Amino acid sequence: MITNLNNAKAGDLVEVSGMVHNVRVTKWGGFIILRKSRGLLQTVVSNDQCQIYNEQGETVALNDLCREMAVTITGTVGEAKIKDPAAFYKDIEISVSEVRVLSRPSTTEVVDMNALKFGDEETLLRYKFDNRQVTLRNPRDMAILKVASVVSKAFADYLTEQGFTQIYTPKIVSEGAEGGANVFKMDYFGKQVYLAQSPQFYKQIGVGVYERVFEIAPAYRAEKQNTSRHLNEYISLDVEMGFIKGQEDVMHLEAELLRAIISRVATVCEHELNLLGATLPVLPAEVPIWRLSKVHEILFENNLCEQDHRGEDDLAPEEERAICKYALEKFGSDFVFVTHFPSEHRAFYAMDDPEDPTLTLSFDLLMRGLEITSGGQRIHKEEDYRRKMIHRGMNPENFRFYLDTFRNGMPPHGGFAIGLERITACFLGINNVKECSMFPRDINRVAP
Ligand code: AMO
């Protein structure tokens, strides 16, 4: 008897366990559509050749089975051509000889995760997230989160091959790393502390230890706006590397890392990509790298934005979309690096450009119209940190342990962070990043 369906061929006797996704009863028997870890498996029941037992071992009929029962099925593999895109097993079906019910839902009205037919996207998403513990079982949602999982595994594998060490840093911190007001405060035995906006300080500290580090962990942002690109808790794929010659080394690493991730997703997630109708992004050998000022100019000169954004110190969302469209049309790239953001607009740890200290050696990576990464070279001298902090009205004493790292010697270094939900959404053409989070947290939602 074979239990691994991936090795099964026509004529093999198999035992398969799974959840009943659907039951269709016909005159002669019917179908049990079983849900497995990657998608659906069709099984065929002929009333005269199949025994079905309930949890007590009593014989029952096919129409006694219901959705979300856990069952073990024994049967013979047959060849098939299944059209349902949610079917993971498209070339086989099982002719069932025996079904054993292992457990059943305690309600006869299980949440309808298939018929998510609402008029507008907002109502659909609310229903989906209100019942997330069950709607996650929808093959489409399963597929999205499977891709996210493969992305993060590919991220870890590639970096490990490149000599990076995975680290785990605290999420309860004494100071926010990214500045600004979007930091969650919490009470820690009577003292005010924060939820980490990013592992920035700690991953830099990690460079002093291991030269190259990465982390996959949640990050917290007290974003008050409820947008399709913001979560209050997201998974940050963080990288930091020592002994760089400049931010170009960091961008180069990120491009090669993305190449490895795209290639892994293409190989491992063919089923998920087909189900979601997704096309992976194009990453050319040379990803365009433009300064922020150049992007404003390109868009203005080519009349690609409604407004003139020249002189602005950041990219407007319409610019992000427009420059990505331009890069795809002109350079065949779904990615664009934008560099040299104004110092005043970037976090204090960004290294200022020695050629023009009003700018930083930092970058964003845009993909298909959305920022998926920020990164750059960091300051690595204590005195430079102190100068910049004082200039910004920050109290260096609040960052003692961080500054102590540089006092004790640090190599030139840099890094970046990719938002897992954002990169997944961009890969799959999903409009709202919340769909790429297992249990999204936004201003109105902390449960389930
Ligand atoms: P930044 O704040 O730009 O940089 O964040 C890096 C990336 O994290 C993702 N991200 C988010 N995703 C969903 N919801 C949010 N609220 C959210 N905020 C950020 C985005 C973004 O590009 N320490 C630096 C990184 C570095 O320089 O290494 C940082 O956190 O994809």
Side-chain angles (χ1 to χ4, degrees):
M1 179 103 64
I2 295 177
T3 49
N4 184 352
L5 276 182
N6 300 330
N7 306 328
K9 46 187 196 313
D12 284 345
L13 188 64
V14 291
E15 184 185 274
V16 194
S17 297
M19 302 297 279
V20 175
H21 192 68
N22 218 344
V23 184
R24 290 208 304 275
V25 179
T26 61
K27 281 191 196 124
W28 46 267
F31 299 90
I32 304 170
I33 308 300
L34 212 60
R35 196 176 61 250
K36 301 286 296 165
S37 63
R38 293 290 290 281
L40 307 181
L41 166 69
Q42 177 163 296
T43 77
V44 191
V45 175
S46 297
N47 285 337
D48 52 354
Q49 285 166 26
C50 177
Q51 295 293 322
I52 304 178
Y53 301 102
N54 68 12
E55 300 92 314
Q56 287 73 41
E58 298 153 352
T59 307
V60 294
L62 182 61
N63 60 11
D64 290 320
L65 297 186
C66 66
R67 288 174 41 221
E68 301 311 308
M69 277 181 163
V71 297
T72 298
I73 282 178
T74 308
T76 309
V77 177
E79 284 176 7
K81 282 214 168 7
I82 315 282
K83 293 216 180 71
D84 182 355
F88 181 69
Y89 301 93
K90 291 200 169 59
D91 306 329
I92 59 167
E93 64 183 8
I94 312 293
S95 296
V96 185
S97 50
E98 185 187 281
V99 181
R100 287 191 178 273
V101 177
L102 307 175
S103 76
R104 67 181 60 220
S106 53
T107 172
T108 51
E109 290 171 12
V110 297
V111 169
D112 189 353
M113 75 202 82
N114 300 313
L116 299 177
K117 294 181 192 115
F118 293 95
D120 61 297
E121 193 176 325
E122 203 185 318
T123 320
L124 168 92
L125 288 183
R126 193 170 335 109
Y127 173 86
K128 216 183 215 194
F129 297 148
D130 282 350
N131 299 285
R132 192 66 165 157
Q133 64 283 20
V134 187
T135 56
L136 278 170
R137 301 178 189 184
N138 179 347
R140 194 173 169 277
D141 293 73
M142 283 172 73
I144 296 171
L145 292 165
K146 178 71 186 182
V147 171
S149 166
V150 171
V151 167
S152 76
K153 176 78 166 61
F155 171 87
D157 287 349
Y158 179 80
L159 292 170
T160 305
E161 278 162 24
Q162 301 301 314
F164 285 74
T165 297
Q166 184 163 15
I167 55 170
Y168 303 90
T169 70
K171 302 303 154 209
I172 300 174
V173 296
S174 57
E175 280 295 336
E178 305 301 331
N182 66 355
V183 53
F184 283 111
K185 297 174 182 156
M186 63 177 256
D187 174 70
Y188 192 71
F189 308 116
K191 184 174 184 287
Q192 181 171 291
V193 297
Y194 307 96
L195 286 178
Q197 292 167 301
S198 81
Q200 185 62 38
F201 298 164
Y202 296 95
K203 67 175 178 170
Q204 289 183 256
I205 291 171
V207 166
V209 186
Y210 296 115
E211 293 181 19
R212 303 177 142 208
V213 295
F214 71 93
E215 180 171 40
I216 302 172
Y220 299 89
R221 303 281 170 108
E223 311 278 2
K224 288 220 170 81
Q225 74 266 41
N226 197 357
T227 77
S228 61
R229 46 164 70 187
H230 290 98
L231 286 154
N232 292 102
E233 180 178 56
Y234 67 94
I235 301 295
S236 187
L237 306 175
D238 267 276
V239 174
E240 200 70 21
M241 65 198 278
F243 301 99
I244 60 167
K245 295 197 174 70
Q247 64 167 341
E248 293 70 25
D249 291 354
V250 183
M251 288 188 274
H252 177 73
L253 173 82
E254 181 166 17
E256 293 316 304
L257 166 65
L258 287 167
R259 205 176 303 290
I261 294 175
I262 292 168
S263 148
R264 175 78 68 85
V265 172
T267 324
V268 178
C269 298
E270 204 186 333
H271 163 68
E272 285 76 11
L273 296 172
N274 284 337
L275 171 55
L276 298 165
T279 312
L280 285 171
V282 191
L283 180 70
E286 299 280 329
V287 176
I289 302 178
W290 292 311
R291 286 174 175 244
L292 176 68
S293 53
K294 175 83 182 164
V295 172
H296 292 320
E297 263 167 44
I298 293 174
L299 295 177
F300 177 76
E301 280 166 12
N302 293 283
N303 212 6
L304 296 175
C305 276
E306 290 196 352
Q307 286 175 18
D308 176 4
H309 294 280
R310 285 174 305 167
E312 290 180 10
D313 52 14
D314 203 355
L315 281 175
E318 74 157 337
E319 286 187 292
E320 293 182 347
R321 288 189 291 274
I323 198 65
C324 286
K325 194 158 173 270
Y326 177 83
L328 185 61
E329 283 165 10
K330 294 266 183 214
F331 298 87
S333 178
D334 270 315
F335 296 86
V336 184
F337 282 111
V338 182
T339 66
H340 294 83
F341 285 83
S343 186
E344 295 295 323
H345 200 77
R346 295 298 264 202
F348 72 92
Y349 51 76
M351 182 174 272
D352 292 336
D353 183 354
E355 287 174 15
D356 179 355
T358 64
L359 303 177
T360 49
L361 300 176
S362 73
F363 63 85
D364 278 0
L365 177 62
L366 310 180
M367 171 184 170
R368 292 178 166 169
L370 187 65
E371 176 212 306
I372 58 160
T373 290
S374 292
Q377 181 160 3
R378 325 299 188 185
I379 297 172
H380 57 269
K381 291 190 185 142
E382 185 194 1
E383 58 271 25
D384 292 343
Y385 272 107
R386 285 187 179 273
R387 203 176 308 118
K388 201 161 172 183
M389 284 174 155
I390 289 164
H391 176 71
R392 289 189 174 204
M394 295 164 70
N395 181 358
E397 288 317 300
N398 295 346
F399 298 84
R400 235 197 147 105
F401 78 91
Y402 180 57
L403 294 181
D404 205 38
T405 316
F406 304 97
R407 191 203 312 266
N408 284 276
M410 277 288 280
H413 64 283
F416 58 91
I418 309 174
L420 178 60
E421 297 81 357
R422 283 202 189 172
I423 191 177
T424 306
C426 284
F427 274 10
L428 299 177
I430 307 276
N431 288 334
N432 195 321
V433 296
K434 289 177 200 164
E435 286 208 66
C436 302
S437 169
M438 195 164 176
F439 290 99
R441 295 292 177 249
D442 64 30
I443 191 160
N444 301 313
R445 182 176 298 285
V446 284

